[in-house]
Amino acid sequence: MTSPTRREFIGGAFALMTAESMRLPLWARAVPNAASTPSAGQILLGVDYYPDQTPEALWEEDSRMMSDMGFTNVRIAEFAWGLMEPSEGKFEFGWLHRAVEILHKHNIGVILGTPSAAPPPWLSAKYPDIFEVNAQGQRLRPGGRRFTCPSNPVYRKLSLAIAAQMAKKFTDNTGVIGWQIDNELTLGSSLRCYCNFCQAGFQNWLRTRYSTLDTLNQSWGTVFWSQTYTDFSQIPVPLLSGGDPNPGLALDYDRYQSYANVSFTEEQLTMLRQMCPTHFVTTNNVGLPLDTIDLRSLFAKLDFAAIDNYPGFFDMLMAQQGKPPSYDGIATGISLGHDFARSVKGGEPFMIMEEQSGKAGQSTFAPQPETGQVRLWTYQGVAHGAMGINYFRWDTATFGAEEYWHGILNHDRSKSPAYEEIRQTVKELKALGQEVLYSQYAAQSALVFDYDCSWAVKIQPGHYALDYMTQVTSWYGAISASRTGIDVIAPEADLSPYKIVFAPLAYVMSEKQAAKIKSFVQGGGMFVTNFRLGVKTVSSQIVRTPLPGLLRDVMGVTVADYIPIYSAKNAVKFAPALAGPDGECGLWTDILQPTGAEVLASYTKGSHAGEAAITINTLGSGKAVYIGADLDAASLARVLRTLSGLAGIKQPLEVPPGVEVTMRRAGDKQWIFLLNHTAVSQSVSIPKTFTDLLTGKTHTGKIDVSGYGVHVLT
Ligand code: GLA
Ligand code: ZN
């Protein structure tokens, strides 16, 4: 296994977002009985600020300008360990107190970042054991950031100590409103650590998980290649070893690494809860459901989810991969991130802790956002459930690794192209107020994102091009084009709120999950899945029953054979219910033998020509659909949209390609967000008279949404 860099990793997630499957998400509908509005929270419209990198003489001017922008808060200090603890145990918070005081004087609340993402040189020099070991067995070096091990007890102790000193000094400071623990956990150049401390941590974690070695040996099937362990201390980490690792061990290692980062965070959280009971606590991560760390566990005990959003970064990566420019693709990818962020804590409003405000870049620049795009991206977040936004960053660094990452002030402190736009957006969002920002978003469709499946498929893809995240993003693009709201849920989530649940590449299937799916379908829901269904147990062993294992009766089929596709391509012919041109098959074909299901498409080539490729089964009052073939993007989009229609998902507003529609609601109030991701004006027909809350104008018959324009309708 190799560990991709952060760039490759995030870029890979967009790799197969094809033009067809990436049409924009847009939907709006009324859902009775939506969850009640949470108690209104504080307005968080701010900026990420670096007083540690700014001459003190400028702090007053910065604070005044921020206040003039309408900002309510900043996030500071998350990379300032060296200034706060210049040598071990010697703490210097004078500068931070002065910064907080000046900001507070200008009515700007402070979110303090704990600094464990970047330890200072004295610490690295004294404790070289803290450095992460990557998948090639190489020890990382200091000089960048995020080069430390999440299991290392010394690093944990020192990280907790500096955070506790901060907490002690600032708990009673009225300028401080909350905390961000660390910064983007796991998103460094190596996504996993394989050091001796992690090995020991893994062994302990396994002791708790399995209790006995017998159970562990059985679960992993260690008799294969003579790997039966007779002591927990013999258990290795999955580093290069002359052959692929045991799949059960490798999957557990991914679970352990995610756990190690979560427990690292929770150590600081426990302390902050005790010492700063009146402050909120969160951390920030990317919104996309990448499988570096289980964000559901990470945010479980935190007050709200917070994500970082850089659309231009994705634009740059897609161009780098030779993909055609696609505002639609980027807009849909970002929507997926927002829908996941909202779903991470069961639909609670989330915060965007870093929102792109200018040209993004580390060693190269992403494009300058077009006029209107920063405002549009802000509203896209709010449209999908964000309650607060911090722009990244206030000024633009003239030194350090992120000199190219443009903020609200340029290098010479002149105003950036988006300066006035951001000021206007903040003013508008304040006028919309708490009720809108903290309103709910209730979806009728759900897309399952299962970390176990992502990790297990990465360990044994079955086909070199098969990737869980790619399947999930392609399906999201296809479904969202059907203009429906989508939650991105855990496999064990309650399925009852949804009319239709999509679960691509559900390779690992637990008994609990299978039972939930069965009762969802019996109760009238539609469950849609595809090839490699139910192949593995939660221990990553292959099931001993015919496929699709635990879901055979639900799907009403048996998999007669499964065939990876390389040069011998296949194709499918659709039955009238899914009418359309023959579809092409890409990576995979499961050959389906109905045992009660109806055939919706058949293969046309090879020795399985005429056999079932897509089936639909009726169980109780619901339906279960098995898509055995890896369909081309256009066919997949048509099939998934047709199924959404059959499940009763309706489009209350017709909008042209490039325009996105979402709706949030509180009690019997609702707000429709219309977002134009294209540069040209688009006309949208409306069935009744709406008032635009941003302009106060009423609209009847149609609305012309200007290029990158936004309307909030009620
Ligand atoms: C991330 C980090 C920030 C900064 C920005 C821009 O999202 O959280 O510290 O590095 O990217 O690179
Ligand atoms: Zn480690």
Side-chain angles (χ1 to χ4, degrees):
M1 284 180 299
T2 54
S3 229
T5 65
R6 177 185 176 198
R7 268 161 186 256
E8 286 164 350
F9 197 81
I10 297 174
F14 279 73
L16 286 199
M17 287 186 162
T18 59
E20 180 59 28
S21 70
M22 289 306 295
R23 282 224 199 112
L24 287 174
L26 49 157
W27 63 277
R29 74 260 170 291
V31 185
N33 306 323
S36 62
T37 312
S39 56
Q42 59 202 124
I43 298 277
L44 295 170
L45 299 169
V47 67
D48 303 307
Y49 182 43
Y50 294 90
D52 46 320
Q53 302 166 18
T54 309
E56 189 161 344
L58 294 173
W59 295 353
E60 183 77 41
E61 179 180 287
D62 281 342
S63 305
R64 191 179 40 71
M65 287 174 83
M66 285 176 201
S67 174
D68 176 58
M69 291 287 281
F71 288 141
T72 58
N73 72 277
V74 290
R75 178 207 57 192
I76 62 175
E78 81 280 11
F79 290 111
W81 194 337
L83 284 186
M84 293 188 285
E85 191 179 2
S87 60
E88 189 168 358
K90 182 171 173 289
F91 298 98
E92 291 279 351
F93 291 110
W95 69 273
L96 192 54
H97 271 289
R98 294 195 296 281
V100 171
E101 197 184 308
I102 291 173
L103 288 157
H104 185 44
K105 196 176 80 190
H106 290 274
N107 285 324
I108 292 170
V110 171
I111 301 172
L112 284 175
T114 70
S116 38
W122 63 256
L123 197 156
S124 301
K126 184 164 176 197
Y127 304 105
D129 276 356
I130 64 168
F131 306 151
E132 203 171 320
V133 171
N134 70 13
Q136 286 69 46
Q138 300 152 337
R139 195 167 274 280
L140 302 194
R141 301 281 192 277
R145 64 174 181 184
R146 188 89 282 134
F147 50 82
T148 54
C149 162
S151 311
N152 184 291
V154 170
Y155 193 60
R156 282 178 167 234
K157 199 177 99 201
L158 293 165
S159 298
L160 186 59
I162 177 67
Q165 285 296 326
M166 291 175 80
K168 193 170 136 199
K169 291 282 185 288
F170 289 95
T171 180
D172 294 326
N173 190 312
T174 46
V176 173
I177 56 173
W179 295 83
Q180 172 188 296
I181 296 174
D182 203 282
N183 190 81
E184 291 191 339
L185 281 137
T186 77
L187 289 177
S189 61
S190 169
L191 305 173
R192 298 276 177 261
C193 180
Y194 300 84
C195 78
N196 292 341
F197 296 98
C198 282
Q199 183 175 8
F202 181 44
Q203 291 164 351
N204 279 335
W205 181 84
L206 292 170
R207 275 192 187 94
T208 309
R209 184 174 172 85
Y210 293 102
S211 303
T212 69
L213 278 171
D214 257 6
T215 320
L216 178 145
N217 283 318
Q218 289 293 330
S219 295
W220 290 354
T222 50
V223 71
F224 190 82
W225 283 354
S226 203
Q227 289 168 351
T228 302
Y229 300 105
T230 56
D231 194 293
F232 276 97
S233 65
Q234 298 158 357
I235 299 169
V237 297
L239 274 177
L240 293 178
S241 174
D244 289 332
N246 177 292
L249 178 148
L251 177 58
D252 272 341
Y253 199 67
D254 279 317
R255 291 173 177 145
Y256 167 71
Q257 281 284 304
S258 181
Y259 159 83
N261 281 285
V262 172
S263 74
F264 178 91
T265 309
E266 286 183 354
E267 273 181 9
Q268 294 188 36
L269 174 64
T270 306
M271 176 278 296
L272 287 169
R273 288 275 185 245
Q274 277 166 11
M275 296 183 68
C276 304
T278 61
H279 296 158
F280 63 75
V281 188
T282 187
T283 183
N284 61 332
N285 215 281
V286 289
L288 279 176
L290 305 181
D291 65 3
T292 52
I293 184 170
D294 178 346
L295 292 191
R296 297 182 186 115
S297 307
L298 181 68
F299 285 108
K301 295 181 186 163
L302 295 166
D303 290 307
F304 51 82
I307 61 161
D308 300 338
N309 187 42
Y310 293 105
F313 196 39
F314 293 121
D315 195 5
M316 184 172 72
L317 288 166
M318 286 170 80
Q320 223 170 311
Q321 292 167 359
K323 307 258 170 286
S326 162
Y327 287 123
D328 282 7
I330 294 166
T332 305
I334 297 305
S335 290
L336 168 59
H338 294 335
D339 281 346
F340 185 61
R342 184 191 65 249
S343 307
V344 148
K345 282 182 81 70
E348 289 301 310
F350 61 96
M351 181 173 182
I352 299 179
M353 192 59 90
E354 299 178 9
E355 174 71 60
Q356 181 174 348
S357 65
K359 291 183 277 285
Q362 264 140 0
S363 51
T364 53
F365 292 106
Q368 173 68 42
E370 299 279 334
T371 304
Q373 271 189 322
V374 174
R375 176 171 176 264
L376 174 71
W377 294 332
T378 305
Y379 277 101
Q380 192 182 11
V382 174
H384 284 266
M387 53 73 173
I389 319 274
N390 269 17
Y391 293 91
F392 188 86
R393 48 183 271 165
W394 173 245
D395 57 356
T396 306
T398 54
F399 46 76
E402 292 186 344
E403 292 166 350
Y404 288 180
W405 211 286
H406 274 255
I408 294 174
L409 299 184
N410 296 317
H411 288 118
D412 60 3
R413 290 181 63 81
S414 57
K415 293 175 180 174
S416 79
Y419 187 97
E420 288 303 332
E421 190 176 316
I422 292 172
R423 196 223 300 258
Q424 178 199 340
T425 310
V426 168
K427 197 168 163 193
E428 290 170 354
L429 289 174
K430 280 184 167 173
L432 285 181
Q434 288 166 322
E435 192 181 20
V436 176
L437 293 172
Y438 281 86
S439 61
Q440 296 288 297
Y441 177 115
Q444 289 182 301
S445 308
L447 176 67
V448 174
F449 183 88
D450 183 346
Y451 287 96
D452 276 356
C453 289
S454 188
W455 292 327
V457 169
K458 210 163 268 172
I459 292 161
Q460 294 170 294
H463 183 296
Y464 68 87
L466 206 51
D467 172 62
Y468 184 74
M469 181 64 183
T470 304
Q471 290 287 320
V472 167
T473 50
S474 306
W475 277 49
Y476 180 88
I479 304 159
S480 59
S482 69
R483 298 151 170 79
T484 59
I486 304 167
D487 283 348
V488 183
I489 60 168
E492 65 275 9
D494 176 16
L495 305 182
S496 63
Y498 307 107
K499 288 185 170 166
I500 187 164
V501 171
F502 300 91
L505 211 49
Y507 177 61
V508 178
M509 178 67 53
S510 70
E511 288 181 11
K512 199 168 151 200
Q513 189 189 356
K516 283 207 163 179
I517 292 167
K518 187 169 183 176
S519 66
F520 170 68
V521 175
Q522 279 172 328
M526 183 182 279
F527 177 71
V528 185
T529 184
N530 67 348
F531 47 89
R532 304 305 277 147
L533 175 65
V535 172
K536 289 242 166 174
T537 68
V538 287
S539 305
S540 204
Q541 291 201 17
I542 301 226
V543 297
R544 286 174 184 265
T545 54
L547 296 178
L550 294 168
L551 285 182
R552 256 186 313 155
D553 60 335
V554 175
M555 305 314 296
V557 296
T558 299
V559 175
D561 203 355
Y562 49 85
I563 300 171
I565 300 291
Y566 296 99
S567 51
K569 301 287 179 206
N570 209 328
V572 301
K573 182 170 274 316
F574 294 99
L578 294 179
D582 284 6
E584 287 167 17
C585 300
L587 309 174
W588 201 269
T589 53
D590 273 359
I591 313 299
L592 307 178
Q593 217 164 51
T595 55
E598 208 182 304
V599 178
L600 292 181
S602 312
Y603 293 108
T604 62
K605 295 183 183 162
S607 47
H608 293 286
E611 293 185 51
I614 304 179
T615 57
I616 185 165
N617 192 39
T618 304
L619 185 76
S621 43
K623 304 276 183 198
V625 179
Y626 197 127
I627 303 175
D630 178 45
L631 295 173
D632 65 89
S635 302
L636 180 70
R638 197 189 67 250
V639 167
L640 297 186
R641 283 175 226 164
T642 305
L643 294 170
S644 282
L646 286 175
I649 305 289
K650 297 214 172 51
Q651 300 171 208
L653 276 190
E654 283 291 337
V655 290
V659 177
E660 185 177 6
V661 175
T662 76
M663 187 161 68
R664 292 182 69 173
R665 43 183 299 142
D668 55 3
K669 292 187 186 163
Q670 60 192 39
W671 299 275
I672 294 175
F673 291 77
L674 265 183
L675 312 161
N676 181 0
H677 289 280
T678 72
V680 295
S681 176
Q682 304 274 358
S683 185
V684 177
S685 304
I686 45 174
K688 58 172 197 149
T689 300
F690 284 109
T691 304
D692 182 354
L693 285 178
L694 302 179
T695 59
K697 281 191 197 150
T698 55
H699 297 265
T700 310
K702 70 171 181 117
I703 295 183
D704 290 320
V705 192
S706 59
Y708 305 124
V710 174
H711 294 270
V712 182
L713 304 175
T714 188

